[in-house]
Amino acid sequence: MHKPNITLACVVHCQGKFLFVEEWDNGVLTLNQPAGHLEKDESLLAGMQRELWEETGIEHAQIERLVKIYQWSAPRSKTDFLRFTFALELDDCCAVTPHDSDITQALWLTLAQFQDYIRQPGQGARSPLVLESIHDYLQAKTVPIDILKVFE
């Protein structure tokens, strides 16, 4: 039986800017949304809250929307992913403090600034899902979080 990796990501938006985390991926400095893998015995929302805190220091944020569920096969690793991408809208662009040692920094960027960043030599986006998620968010392609139901 095939079991794809389940990942969680969050488009964090505030006053026209998006929050990205910068990390190294195969020798390339990349930007991603705060994201990571679902852990055993963890709900999707609990996992997203944990990843958000680990990668940005943001705690107790009220995630209310699901942007989309993406299925993607990474061409280099041939790894299949199911990526649950959430949305978080903040009133203020808060200071961020990554707790994950893989994160070099967190950046608040406009879409144009993000696109400039990924065009630079030696830099890029972690995957095509990063930009796709932003476009879907901006097109208001989200659904209420109560579409998810956890059975205990």
Side-chain angles (χ1 to χ4, degrees):
M1 173 186 286
H2 177 65
K3 295 181 181 179
N5 288 283
I6 297 174
T7 59
L8 313 163
C10 192
V11 174
V12 182
H13 182 255
C14 177
Q15 301 174 6
K17 293 187 175 184
F18 297 92
L19 182 58
F20 297 97
V21 293
E22 183 184 69
E23 57 194 339
W24 289 99
D25 182 36
N26 291 312
V28 176
L29 203 52
T30 63
L31 290 182
N32 195 6
Q33 281 99 12
H37 293 268
L38 183 68
E39 294 183 359
K40 184 170 174 39
D41 298 324
E42 189 173 57
S43 72
L44 294 170
L45 283 175
M48 187 67 262
Q49 293 284 359
R50 175 186 51 74
E51 288 292 345
L52 193 59
W53 181 83
E54 288 176 0
E55 297 198 355
T56 69
I58 295 174
E59 277 189 289
H60 312 297
Q62 187 64 34
I63 297 171
E64 297 178 350
R65 309 290 295 175
L66 176 69
V67 175
K68 197 170 274 189
I69 302 167
Y70 301 90
Q71 183 177 351
W72 182 63
S73 181
R76 186 176 56 245
S77 67
K78 304 290 189 240
T79 304
D80 293 328
F81 294 93
L82 285 178
R83 185 188 206 239
F84 291 79
T85 305
F86 299 92
L88 174 62
E89 183 71 36
L90 298 176
D91 294 329
D92 297 307
C93 297
C94 58
V96 292
T97 307
H99 298 279
D100 185 330
S101 61
D102 291 337
I103 305 299
T104 59
Q105 66 178 327
L107 302 164
W108 286 102
L109 301 173
T110 64
L111 178 56
Q113 290 169 325
F114 167 76
Q115 290 171 320
D116 287 344
Y117 178 101
I118 64 175
R119 286 189 200 109
Q120 300 301 314
Q123 297 176 324
R126 181 68 187 245
S127 79
L129 301 179
V130 178
L131 185 57
E132 186 72 18
S133 298
I134 293 169
H135 286 307
D136 287 338
Y137 172 83
L138 289 172
Q139 293 173 18
K141 293 184 175 180
T142 64
V143 294
I145 205 70
D146 64 3
I147 196 168
L148 301 173
K149 175 70 176 170
V150 176
F151 285 92
E152 304 284 334

PDB file of all heavy atoms in Angstrom, residues 62-81:
ATOM      1  N   GLN A  62      -5.454  31.706  15.633  1.00  0.00           N
ATOM      2  CA  GLN A  62      -6.727  31.095  15.281  1.00  0.00           C
ATOM      3  C   GLN A  62      -6.779  30.829  13.774  1.00  0.00           C
ATOM      4  O   GLN A  62      -7.088  31.715  12.991  1.00  0.00           O
ATOM      5  CB  GLN A  62      -7.888  32.005  15.700  1.00  0.00           C
ATOM      6  CG  GLN A  62      -9.245  31.389  15.537  1.00  0.00           C
ATOM      7  CD  GLN A  62      -9.448  30.179  16.438  1.00  0.00           C
ATOM      8  OE1 GLN A  62      -8.932  30.120  17.548  1.00  0.00           O
ATOM      9  NE2 GLN A  62     -10.204  29.214  15.973  1.00  0.00           N
ATOM     10  N   ILE A  63      -6.451  29.614  13.391  1.00  0.00           N
ATOM     11  CA  ILE A  63      -6.528  29.225  11.980  1.00  0.00           C
ATOM     12  C   ILE A  63      -7.986  28.897  11.675  1.00  0.00           C
ATOM     13  O   ILE A  63      -8.571  28.017  12.287  1.00  0.00           O
ATOM     14  CB  ILE A  63      -5.609  28.025  11.697  1.00  0.00           C
ATOM     15  CG1 ILE A  63      -4.151  28.422  11.964  1.00  0.00           C
ATOM     16  CG2 ILE A  63      -5.797  27.531  10.268  1.00  0.00           C
ATOM     17  CD1 ILE A  63      -3.186  27.273  11.925  1.00  0.00           C
ATOM     18  N   GLU A  64      -8.552  29.626  10.734  1.00  0.00           N
ATOM     19  CA  GLU A  64      -9.984  29.475  10.444  1.00  0.00           C
ATOM     20  C   GLU A  64     -10.296  28.995   9.039  1.00  0.00           C
ATOM     21  O   GLU A  64     -11.454  28.707   8.742  1.00  0.00           O
ATOM     22  CB  GLU A  64     -10.693  30.811  10.687  1.00  0.00           C
ATOM     23  CG  GLU A  64     -10.611  31.254  12.135  1.00  0.00           C
ATOM     24  CD  GLU A  64     -11.279  32.592  12.370  1.00  0.00           C
ATOM     25  OE1 GLU A  64     -11.639  33.271  11.386  1.00  0.00           O
ATOM     26  OE2 GLU A  64     -11.445  32.953  13.546  1.00  0.00           O
ATOM     27  N   ARG A  65      -9.303  28.914   8.172  1.00  0.00           N
ATOM     28  CA  ARG A  65      -9.562  28.565   6.776  1.00  0.00           C
ATOM     29  C   ARG A  65      -8.575  27.508   6.294  1.00  0.00           C
ATOM     30  O   ARG A  65      -7.420  27.480   6.695  1.00  0.00           O
ATOM     31  CB  ARG A  65      -9.438  29.794   5.860  1.00  0.00           C
ATOM     32  CG  ARG A  65     -10.224  31.022   6.278  1.00  0.00           C
ATOM     33  CD  ARG A  65     -11.697  30.911   6.140  1.00  0.00           C
ATOM     34  NE  ARG A  65     -12.118  30.772   4.750  1.00  0.00           N
ATOM     35  CZ  ARG A  65     -13.382  30.553   4.400  1.00  0.00           C
ATOM     36  NH1 ARG A  65     -14.320  30.437   5.293  1.00  0.00           N
ATOM     37  NH2 ARG A  65     -13.705  30.423   3.140  1.00  0.00           N
ATOM     38  N   LEU A  66      -9.051  26.657   5.410  1.00  0.00           N
ATOM     39  CA  LEU A  66      -8.221  25.709   4.676  1.00  0.00           C
ATOM     40  C   LEU A  66      -8.129  26.234   3.253  1.00  0.00           C
ATOM     41  O   LEU A  66      -9.157  26.467   2.604  1.00  0.00           O
ATOM     42  CB  LEU A  66      -8.855  24.316   4.696  1.00  0.00           C
ATOM     43  CG  LEU A  66      -8.150  23.235   3.881  1.00  0.00           C
ATOM     44  CD1 LEU A  66      -6.810  22.875   4.519  1.00  0.00           C
ATOM     45  CD2 LEU A  66      -9.028  21.986   3.784  1.00  0.00           C
ATOM     46  N   VAL A  67      -6.916  26.460   2.777  1.00  0.00           N
ATOM     47  CA  VAL A  67      -6.734  26.969   1.418  1.00  0.00           C
ATOM     48  C   VAL A  67      -7.018  25.851   0.425  1.00  0.00           C
ATOM     49  O   VAL A  67      -7.875  25.984  -0.452  1.00  0.00           O
ATOM     50  CB  VAL A  67      -5.308  27.527   1.204  1.00  0.00           C
ATOM     51  CG1 VAL A  67      -5.103  27.945  -0.255  1.00  0.00           C
ATOM     52  CG2 VAL A  67      -5.047  28.698   2.138  1.00  0.00           C
ATOM     53  N   LYS A  68      -6.300  24.743   0.576  1.00  0.00           N
ATOM     54  CA  LYS A  68      -6.469  23.646  -0.368  1.00  0.00           C
ATOM     55  C   LYS A  68      -5.664  22.453   0.108  1.00  0.00           C
ATOM     56  O   LYS A  68      -4.743  22.591   0.906  1.00  0.00           O
ATOM     57  CB  LYS A  68      -5.988  24.072  -1.758  1.00  0.00           C
ATOM     58  CG  LYS A  68      -6.486  23.188  -2.894  1.00  0.00           C
ATOM     59  CD  LYS A  68      -6.180  23.791  -4.243  1.00  0.00           C
ATOM     60  CE  LYS A  68      -7.291  24.753  -4.617  1.00  0.00           C
ATOM     61  NZ  LYS A  68      -7.204  25.241  -5.993  1.00  0.00           N
ATOM     62  N   ILE A  69      -6.000  21.286  -0.420  1.00  0.00           N
ATOM     63  CA  ILE A  69      -5.207  20.079  -0.221  1.00  0.00           C
ATOM     64  C   ILE A  69      -4.553  19.785  -1.565  1.00  0.00           C
ATOM     65  O   ILE A  69      -5.236  19.628  -2.574  1.00  0.00           O
ATOM     66  CB  ILE A  69      -6.083  18.895   0.231  1.00  0.00           C
ATOM     67  CG1 ILE A  69      -6.819  19.230   1.523  1.00  0.00           C
ATOM     68  CG2 ILE A  69      -5.221  17.635   0.403  1.00  0.00           C
ATOM     69  CD1 ILE A  69      -7.940  18.255   1.871  1.00  0.00           C
ATOM     70  N   TYR A  70      -3.231  19.754  -1.560  1.00  0.00           N
ATOM     71  CA  TYR A  70      -2.475  19.546  -2.795  1.00  0.00           C
ATOM     72  C   TYR A  70      -1.851  18.155  -2.780  1.00  0.00           C
ATOM     73  O   TYR A  70      -1.312  17.720  -1.763  1.00  0.00           O
ATOM     74  CB  TYR A  70      -1.342  20.566  -2.921  1.00  0.00           C
ATOM     75  CG  TYR A  70      -1.801  22.004  -2.916  1.00  0.00           C
ATOM     76  CD1 TYR A  70      -1.901  22.707  -1.724  1.00  0.00           C
ATOM     77  CD2 TYR A  70      -2.116  22.664  -4.100  1.00  0.00           C
ATOM     78  CE1 TYR A  70      -2.307  24.034  -1.717  1.00  0.00           C
ATOM     79  CE2 TYR A  70      -2.529  23.976  -4.095  1.00  0.00           C
ATOM     80  CZ  TYR A  70      -2.630  24.655  -2.894  1.00  0.00           C
ATOM     81  OH  TYR A  70      -3.026  25.970  -2.890  1.00  0.00           O
ATOM     82  N   GLN A  71      -1.896  17.486  -3.917  1.00  0.00           N
ATOM     83  CA  GLN A  71      -1.172  16.228  -4.095  1.00  0.00           C
ATOM     84  C   GLN A  71      -0.037  16.516  -5.060  1.00  0.00           C
ATOM     85  O   GLN A  71      -0.246  17.065  -6.144  1.00  0.00           O
ATOM     86  CB  GLN A  71      -2.092  15.148  -4.663  1.00  0.00           C
ATOM     87  CG  GLN A  71      -1.404  13.818  -4.801  1.00  0.00           C
ATOM     88  CD  GLN A  71      -2.337  12.726  -5.295  1.00  0.00           C
ATOM     89  OE1 GLN A  71      -3.547  12.897  -5.385  1.00  0.00           O
ATOM     90  NE2 GLN A  71      -1.776  11.585  -5.622  1.00  0.00           N
ATOM     91  N   TRP A  72       1.191  16.156  -4.651  1.00  0.00           N
ATOM     92  CA  TRP A  72       2.358  16.505  -5.452  1.00  0.00           C
ATOM     93  C   TRP A  72       3.432  15.442  -5.307  1.00  0.00           C
ATOM     94  O   TRP A  72       3.643  14.899  -4.222  1.00  0.00           O
ATOM     95  CB  TRP A  72       2.903  17.862  -4.991  1.00  0.00           C
ATOM     96  CG  TRP A  72       4.075  18.363  -5.760  1.00  0.00           C
ATOM     97  CD1 TRP A  72       4.120  18.679  -7.088  1.00  0.00           C
ATOM     98  CD2 TRP A  72       5.379  18.641  -5.252  1.00  0.00           C
ATOM     99  NE1 TRP A  72       5.377  19.134  -7.434  1.00  0.00           N
ATOM    100  CE2 TRP A  72       6.171  19.120  -6.320  1.00  0.00           C
ATOM    101  CE3 TRP A  72       5.958  18.538  -3.993  1.00  0.00           C
ATOM    102  CZ2 TRP A  72       7.500  19.486  -6.179  1.00  0.00           C
ATOM    103  CZ3 TRP A  72       7.284  18.903  -3.851  1.00  0.00           C
ATOM    104  CH2 TRP A  72       8.038  19.375  -4.927  1.00  0.00           C
ATOM    105  N   SER A  73       4.094  15.143  -6.408  1.00  0.00           N
ATOM    106  CA  SER A  73       5.229  14.226  -6.401  1.00  0.00           C
ATOM    107  C   SER A  73       6.484  15.044  -6.688  1.00  0.00           C
ATOM    108  O   SER A  73       6.607  15.645  -7.760  1.00  0.00           O
ATOM    109  CB  SER A  73       5.044  13.145  -7.460  1.00  0.00           C
ATOM    110  OG  SER A  73       6.131  12.255  -7.425  1.00  0.00           O
ATOM    111  N   ALA A  74       7.403  15.085  -5.721  1.00  0.00           N
ATOM    112  CA  ALA A  74       8.641  15.846  -5.882  1.00  0.00           C
ATOM    113  C   ALA A  74       9.519  15.138  -6.912  1.00  0.00           C
ATOM    114  O   ALA A  74       9.873  13.978  -6.727  1.00  0.00           O
ATOM    115  CB  ALA A  74       9.359  15.954  -4.544  1.00  0.00           C
ATOM    116  N   PRO A  75       9.863  15.815  -7.996  1.00  0.00           N
ATOM    117  CA  PRO A  75      10.593  15.149  -9.068  1.00  0.00           C
ATOM    118  C   PRO A  75      11.982  14.647  -8.666  1.00  0.00           C
ATOM    119  O   PRO A  75      12.394  13.576  -9.093  1.00  0.00           O
ATOM    120  CB  PRO A  75      10.695  16.198 -10.168  1.00  0.00           C
ATOM    121  CG  PRO A  75      10.225  17.470  -9.599  1.00  0.00           C
ATOM    122  CD  PRO A  75       9.551  17.197  -8.306  1.00  0.00           C
ATOM    123  N   ARG A  76      12.700  15.400  -7.840  1.00  0.00           N
ATOM    124  CA  ARG A  76      14.062  15.013  -7.471  1.00  0.00           C
ATOM    125  C   ARG A  76      14.070  13.781  -6.571  1.00  0.00           C
ATOM    126  O   ARG A  76      14.810  12.844  -6.782  1.00  0.00           O
ATOM    127  CB  ARG A  76      14.785  16.182  -6.796  1.00  0.00           C
ATOM    128  CG  ARG A  76      16.243  15.910  -6.509  1.00  0.00           C
ATOM    129  CD  ARG A  76      16.981  17.112  -5.913  1.00  0.00           C
ATOM    130  NE  ARG A  76      16.356  17.610  -4.710  1.00  0.00           N
ATOM    131  CZ  ARG A  76      15.797  18.816  -4.576  1.00  0.00           C
ATOM    132  NH1 ARG A  76      15.788  19.645  -5.582  1.00  0.00           N
ATOM    133  NH2 ARG A  76      15.256  19.184  -3.447  1.00  0.00           N
ATOM    134  N   SER A  77      13.210  13.765  -5.560  1.00  0.00           N
ATOM    135  CA  SER A  77      13.206  12.655  -4.596  1.00  0.00           C
ATOM    136  C   SER A  77      12.201  11.563  -4.942  1.00  0.00           C
ATOM    137  O   SER A  77      12.219  10.501  -4.347  1.00  0.00           O
ATOM    138  CB  SER A  77      12.901  13.185  -3.193  1.00  0.00           C
ATOM    139  OG  SER A  77      11.564  13.676  -3.143  1.00  0.00           O
ATOM    140  N   LYS A  78      11.303  11.846  -5.877  1.00  0.00           N
ATOM    141  CA  LYS A  78      10.227  10.903  -6.233  1.00  0.00           C
ATOM    142  C   LYS A  78       9.333  10.601  -5.023  1.00  0.00           C
ATOM    143  O   LYS A  78       8.741   9.548  -4.920  1.00  0.00           O
ATOM    144  CB  LYS A  78      10.787   9.594  -6.812  1.00  0.00           C
ATOM    145  CG  LYS A  78      11.683   9.779  -8.006  1.00  0.00           C
ATOM    146  CD  LYS A  78      10.907  10.219  -9.214  1.00  0.00           C
ATOM    147  CE  LYS A  78      11.770  10.186 -10.454  1.00  0.00           C
ATOM    148  NZ  LYS A  78      11.934  11.428 -11.117  1.00  0.00           N
ATOM    149  N   THR A  79       9.256  11.561  -4.102  1.00  0.00           N
ATOM    150  CA  THR A  79       8.425  11.421  -2.911  1.00  0.00           C
ATOM    151  C   THR A  79       7.068  12.037  -3.181  1.00  0.00           C
ATOM    152  O   THR A  79       6.971  13.124  -3.755  1.00  0.00           O
ATOM    153  CB  THR A  79       9.095  12.129  -1.710  1.00  0.00           C
ATOM    154  OG1 THR A  79      10.403  11.594  -1.542  1.00  0.00           O
ATOM    155  CG2 THR A  79       8.303  11.936  -0.437  1.00  0.00           C
ATOM    156  N   ASP A  80       6.019  11.335  -2.774  1.00  0.00           N
ATOM    157  CA  ASP A  80       4.656  11.840  -2.930  1.00  0.00           C
ATOM    158  C   ASP A  80       4.207  12.533  -1.652  1.00  0.00           C
ATOM    159  O   ASP A  80       4.466  12.044  -0.544  1.00  0.00           O
ATOM    160  CB  ASP A  80       3.691  10.697  -3.251  1.00  0.00           C
ATOM    161  CG  ASP A  80       3.961  10.097  -4.623  1.00  0.00           C
ATOM    162  OD1 ASP A  80       4.402  10.841  -5.518  1.00  0.00           O
ATOM    163  OD2 ASP A  80       3.727   8.892  -4.792  1.00  0.00           O
ATOM    164  N   PHE A  81       3.531  13.646  -1.826  1.00  0.00           N
ATOM    165  CA  PHE A  81       3.058  14.441  -0.694  1.00  0.00           C
ATOM    166  C   PHE A  81       1.573  14.745  -0.821  1.00  0.00           C
ATOM    167  O   PHE A  81       1.076  14.987  -1.917  1.00  0.00           O
ATOM    168  CB  PHE A  81       3.795  15.788  -0.633  1.00  0.00           C
ATOM    169  CG  PHE A  81       5.248  15.672  -0.331  1.00  0.00           C
ATOM    170  CD1 PHE A  81       6.184  15.598  -1.359  1.00  0.00           C
ATOM    171  CD2 PHE A  81       5.699  15.644   0.977  1.00  0.00           C
ATOM    172  CE1 PHE A  81       7.533  15.500  -1.092  1.00  0.00           C
ATOM    173  CE2 PHE A  81       7.056  15.550   1.261  1.00  0.00           C
ATOM    174  CZ  PHE A  81       7.970  15.472   0.226  1.00  0.00           C
TER     175      PHE A  81
END
